[in-house]
Amino acid sequence: MESAASFATRQTSPEADGKAVARFKLEGMTCAACANRIEKGLGKLAGVTSASVNFAMETAQVEYVPGEVSVEDMRNKVKQLGYEAIPERPDAQTPDRRDRLARQKRKLLVSAVLSFPLLWSMVAHFSLASWIYVPDLLMNPWFQLAVATPVQFYIGMPFYAGAYKALRNRSANMDVLVALGTSAAYFYSLYLTLDWAAHGGGAHHMPPLYYETSAILITLVVMGKLFESLAKGRTSAAIYALMKLQAKTAVVLRGGEERTVPVEEVVPGDIVLVRPGDNIPVDGTVAEGESTVDESMLTGESLPVFKTAGDPVYGATINKNGALRIRATKIGKDAALAQIIKVVEEAQGSKAPIQRIADVISGIFVPIVVGIAALVFIVWYWLAAPGELATALKNAIAVLVIACPCALGLATPTSIMAGSGRAAELGVLFKGGEHLEQTHKIDTVVLDKTGTITSGKPELTDVLAEGDEAEFLRLVAAAEKNSGHPLAEAIVAGARARNLEIPDAASFEALPGYGVKATIEGKELLVGTRRLMEKYGVADAARAYDTMAKLEEAGKTAMVAAIGNRYAGIVAVADTIKQTSKAAVARLKEMGIEVIMLTGDNERTAKAIARQAGIEQVRAQVLPEQKAAEVRKLQSIGRRVAMVGDGINDAPALAAADVGMAVGTGSDIAIETADVTLMRGDLNSIADAIEMSRLTMRNIRQNLFWALGYNTLGIPVAALGLLAPWVAGAAMALSSVSVVLNALRLQRASLRR
């Protein structure tokens, strides 16, 4: 059995600068003050460069220098603070959570059953409910003591344990408030019970007991925590949904036989057989077969993608209608789905800068509340209601309970979890809470051209023939078939798309800087530039030059062709804009975002593409190393810039921007450098990212407002004696649940398209 320490060490991920990252699941936290204390404690360890504790996810992420501090040191530090740190096992999260929820439900049931008689007897005291019959047994102090004691010391034991650990470490948390408040009510009632018994215990002299206050408070807090856990579980639904997509087994071809093996046993190079309707188990390339594959879970694209030999496929996508043989290339943590899960988990576990506000407040809140409660007790006992211990105690307890800062600790992380999860469903991966927050400030979007606005793959757009168009294109494609140039490939692909039979060339010669020369079916063909026509003296080709110029002004690359040294026509190829680019640019403008195109292409082509996409500002012929400088120039005049690109040459600009967005269909380096990955390769995802960021930040502000509002309004109301302790407990539980439920609205967010 592998030890927790060795597992954690193996799970740490090395960083480029020699640092490593350890991730833990935390147990024993009850409020934001607990998370704050663990974070500070870990941060003080020598060798720890940063520590981040997420109260909502109950996780810790620690960046450290191996050799200066060990994983075991971190676990010991957390234990010293009164909590448990368990190396995080993603595959074990769901069962652990189910067990914890089952325990919480059992405790709530026991607490509710024992508290109900006390609630019954309490309600009967209200004038409006005087008609309710209450058996004498329920009013008996000994009976009330008997049912309140298990609630106080069995159900409430975690509060005492948490309070003791907090006080031992010279701090205070929610447990301190609950333990203080309920203990005051319970022990005061116990004193009155013993005093009543000492004076004969007559039925006509029942003391005013407050057992129901302590028992109902504990029941409400336990119920609130259960609702909170259920709701918090839903914020991680995106992660669990992604995990469920992973195939458990794969059919591999080994030794000429088909074998079904666990997906973990597939190794790179294995041939994996995938039947129609099956999930593709690993990342790889198609070795044999043709099919369409549903990649919507990965890219968000609803239309299946046609795959044939040599095409890449990804684990967890669905093979639709043809049998495929796939050569495995990436498995386990290297696979695309695993990388997506990792990015979403890290984003959900990270902190947005706005959370610092809540952290600072929660760190000092509890001691202040204890002081206020003590002051309330003194004022009521000595001034407002002199000598009335019960009244002073009741109001002090209400202050302690209403002020629990649980909602404050949940306000930011639950919104980050729900927002980043919903964004992932839309094909937008934020790499951290700070990027999710930063994105809503963007006012300028800089777009690379090739592969971002355009498809990045040239297509045949125009065929202008002197004679039969199909025959002309058939011969031109035959001449270009032996050329490896992307423009030649576009012509050949265009001819095949028209179902033309392309013959082989009897001879072929590539003429760098000019074009190609070939002999097909006894005819000599020239396809290329004006200079090629002039070189071979094709005199009548001059009448094509005006048409070529117009095509070039439209952003196309035009080639003239001659057959038998006579002008025969023009073919034009262009890197066409994506179908959604124009609408996406318009949507960004509607959102108040300035859109700029930045490209290394010549100005004429750049402006032509910009016109088609609806972009007014164009900066052309910008060298790769100059792109970052252009971004900094915009930042120097106060612009908040998002750079969007897909190529290796965009990486410096992506890093320089306030927010770097990489098109997910682009290069690994661009994706690695960026803060946000747009999995769909669609410019609409830029607007989705900004809109999702805006919605999340609005949600966080709402949560902080309500969390602080509960406390700010609740404390004076309780201090004035206008709030019964059990009502304060219900309000405190409701505040936490309402904050989480508000965050969950983000999971149903529908964006404008």
Side-chain angles (χ1 to χ4, degrees):
M1 189 79 177
E2 184 178 28
S3 73
S6 66
F7 179 82
T9 305
R10 187 166 56 78
Q11 283 297 96
T12 58
S13 51
E15 303 291 321
D17 54 4
K19 294 175 186 173
V21 176
R23 295 178 180 85
F24 301 97
K25 196 79 180 162
L26 298 173
E27 289 187 355
M29 291 195 300
T30 55
C31 70
C34 301
N36 226 24
R37 187 160 64 254
I38 296 171
E39 193 171 282
K40 285 180 180 175
L42 288 169
K44 288 177 182 175
L45 287 175
V48 170
T49 54
S50 72
S52 176
V53 173
N54 187 311
F55 172 53
M57 287 189 76
E58 298 174 337
T59 57
Q61 183 169 298
V62 186
E63 188 182 82
Y64 68 101
V65 180
E68 291 186 27
V69 65
S70 69
V71 170
E72 199 58 38
D73 292 335
M74 298 174 209
R75 297 188 72 220
N76 289 336
K77 182 62 179 178
V78 174
K79 193 169 187 178
Q80 180 192 328
L81 293 169
Y83 308 92
E84 195 71 32
I86 303 162
E88 197 173 52
R89 299 173 186 255
D91 57 338
Q93 282 179 359
T94 308
D96 285 352
R97 186 173 167 275
R98 285 200 197 107
D99 292 344
R100 192 162 64 250
L101 286 173
R103 286 196 301 271
Q104 284 181 286
K105 286 175 183 175
R106 282 195 299 271
K107 281 196 166 188
L108 176 60
L109 180 63
V110 171
S111 190
V113 168
L114 292 173
S115 300
F116 180 72
L118 297 170
L119 178 65
W120 188 353
S121 65
M122 182 190 72
V123 170
H125 284 100
F126 299 134
S127 56
L128 291 174
S130 57
W131 54 272
I132 295 176
Y133 170 71
V134 181
D136 291 341
L137 175 66
L138 300 189
M139 303 302 292
N140 187 288
W142 292 120
F143 174 79
Q144 291 195 7
L145 175 64
V147 294
T149 300
V151 176
Q152 187 70 34
F153 297 108
Y154 168 61
I155 306 298
M157 184 50 67
F159 301 118
Y160 283 109
Y164 168 72
K165 289 169 184 173
L167 294 171
R168 189 184 66 190
N169 287 285
R170 288 176 289 185
S171 64
N173 62 359
M174 187 199 82
D175 293 329
V176 173
L177 299 181
V178 174
L180 271 175
T182 59
S183 295
Y186 177 84
F187 285 110
Y188 177 59
S189 299
L190 177 60
Y191 163 74
L192 292 176
T193 301
L194 296 174
D195 183 64
W196 168 77
H199 288 84
H204 299 292
H205 298 89
M206 291 292 185
L209 304 177
Y210 295 92
Y211 288 122
E212 78 279 353
T213 297
S214 62
I216 293 168
L217 270 179
I218 288 172
T219 303
L220 285 170
V221 173
V222 171
M223 182 176 68
K225 286 291 173 189
L226 174 62
F227 287 159
E228 191 181 292
S229 296
L230 290 167
K232 283 196 294 188
R234 285 176 58 197
T235 61
S236 295
I239 290 287
Y240 298 129
L242 286 171
M243 286 178 173
K244 284 178 185 174
L245 293 171
Q246 293 171 313
K248 302 292 184 289
T249 60
V251 179
V252 297
L253 200 62
R254 288 180 182 167
E257 295 180 1
E258 293 182 16
R259 294 185 190 176
T260 302
V261 300
V263 73
E264 295 82 10
E265 292 182 14
V266 178
V267 296
D270 271 345
I271 297 296
V272 180
L273 309 180
V274 186
R275 297 180 178 89
D278 287 354
N279 275 35
I280 294 172
V282 294
D283 288 10
T285 54
V286 177
E288 192 179 314
E290 291 184 348
S291 182
T292 53
V293 175
D294 179 358
E295 295 184 343
S296 57
M297 52 67 57
L298 194 68
T299 64
E301 287 293 343
S302 56
L303 294 175
V305 182
F306 179 73
K307 301 287 182 178
T308 188
D311 289 337
V313 289
Y314 303 98
T317 56
I318 302 168
N319 181 30
K320 299 294 284 184
N321 53 18
L324 294 175
R325 291 193 173 198
I326 294 163
R327 189 177 304 280
T329 55
K330 292 181 180 178
I331 56 170
K333 63 182 178 60
D334 297 321
L337 181 63
Q339 292 296 313
I340 291 171
I341 291 172
K342 182 186 172 194
V343 169
V344 178
E345 280 183 328
E346 288 178 354
Q348 291 189 335
S350 66
K351 286 191 177 186
I354 197 172
Q355 191 172 337
R356 294 184 195 127
I357 301 168
D359 287 347
V360 170
I361 295 170
S362 61
I364 59 173
F365 203 66
V366 176
I368 290 172
V369 168
V370 173
I372 292 171
L375 183 63
V376 167
F377 177 84
I378 291 166
V379 168
W380 276 94
Y381 188 72
W382 294 104
L383 299 173
E388 291 189 22
L389 179 63
T391 302
L393 201 58
K394 184 183 73 171
N395 294 336
I397 291 168
V399 169
L400 286 172
V401 174
I402 194 67
C404 287
C406 306
L408 194 61
L410 291 167
T412 302
T414 48
S415 295
I416 294 289
M417 289 164 68
S420 56
R422 176 61 178 145
E425 290 171 4
L426 295 167
V428 177
L429 301 183
F430 290 96
K431 290 193 179 176
E434 65 275 23
H435 307 308
L436 181 55
E437 178 176 340
Q438 191 73 9
T439 301
H440 89 283
K441 300 174 185 175
I442 294 303
D443 56 27
T444 305
V445 169
V446 176
L447 301 172
D448 174 50
K449 179 180 76 71
T450 308
T452 302
I453 298 172
T454 67
S455 62
K457 189 176 180 182
E459 294 178 9
L460 180 65
T461 57
D462 298 87
V463 179
L464 306 173
E466 289 290 285
D468 182 78
E469 185 180 295
E471 177 64 13
F472 168 71
L473 180 57
R474 187 179 76 89
L475 294 173
V476 169
E480 294 283 9
K481 191 165 70 167
N482 292 323
S483 171
H485 197 283
L487 299 180
E489 290 173 0
I491 293 169
V492 174
R496 284 181 175 149
R498 290 166 169 79
N499 297 316
L500 299 177
E501 285 285 336
I502 304 173
D504 292 326
S507 67
F508 172 83
E509 184 183 358
L511 305 167
Y514 291 91
V516 298
K517 178 183 177 184
T519 303
I520 297 104
E521 296 175 348
K523 299 170 184 172
E524 187 179 86
L525 266 80
L526 297 169
V527 184
T529 63
R530 297 171 179 82
R531 289 193 299 162
L532 179 65
M533 298 298 112
E534 290 163 5
K535 181 179 179 179
Y536 283 87
V538 183
D540 54 344
R543 57 196 174 89
Y545 296 165
D546 286 344
T547 305
M548 287 179 74
K550 287 176 183 174
L551 290 168
E552 285 164 352
E553 282 173 13
K556 301 173 182 179
T557 300
M559 289 161 278
V560 64
I563 301 174
N565 219 44
R566 291 190 61 81
Y567 167 66
I570 298 171
V571 287
V573 171
D575 182 6
T576 56
I577 71 165
K578 295 173 183 174
Q579 288 183 344
T580 55
S581 290
K582 186 172 183 178
V585 168
R587 184 179 163 203
L588 285 168
K589 288 179 178 178
E590 282 174 22
M591 294 169 68
I593 308 290
E594 188 175 348
V595 183
I596 300 170
M597 188 169 86
L598 196 65
T599 178
D601 258 358
N602 68 74
E603 195 155 341
R604 189 163 60 179
T605 302
K607 284 186 174 177
I609 294 294
R611 269 197 308 274
Q612 293 174 47
I615 299 171
E616 286 84 24
Q617 293 196 54
V618 181
R619 299 183 188 184
Q621 294 177 304
V622 179
L623 296 173
E625 59 270 22
Q626 294 173 334
K627 286 187 176 182
E630 289 289 333
V631 168
R632 291 192 191 97
K633 198 182 293 180
L634 288 165
Q635 290 169 325
S636 69
I637 58 171
R639 311 297 294 183
R640 296 293 183 104
V641 182
M643 173 70 199
V644 187
D646 77 322
I648 292 171
N649 61 356
D650 296 320
L654 290 170
D658 295 288
V659 176
M661 297 185 180
V663 178
T665 49
S667 75
D668 290 343
I669 292 176
I671 293 169
E672 189 65 33
T673 309
D675 307 313
V676 183
T677 301
L678 312 175
M679 296 301 296
R680 294 183 179 180
D682 176 351
L683 293 193
N684 266 306
S685 293
I686 304 167
D688 289 347
I690 295 170
E691 199 171 334
M692 204 66 229
S693 174
R694 289 178 179 179
L695 288 172
T696 303
M697 293 310 299
R698 186 189 309 158
N699 194 273
I700 288 172
R701 291 190 189 100
Q702 289 167 352
N703 280 352
L704 288 172
F705 173 80
W706 286 113
L708 288 167
Y710 268 109
N711 296 133
T712 306
L713 294 174
I715 290 173
V717 171
L720 290 169
L722 302 174
L723 205 61
W726 70 272
V727 176
M732 186 269 289
L734 179 64
S735 70
S736 295
V737 175
S738 64
V739 158
V740 178
L741 291 177
N742 185 49
L744 286 173
R745 291 190 309 116
L746 290 169
Q747 290 190 326
R748 299 189 302 275
S750 56
L751 307 185
R752 293 169 296 167
R753 279 292 181 115

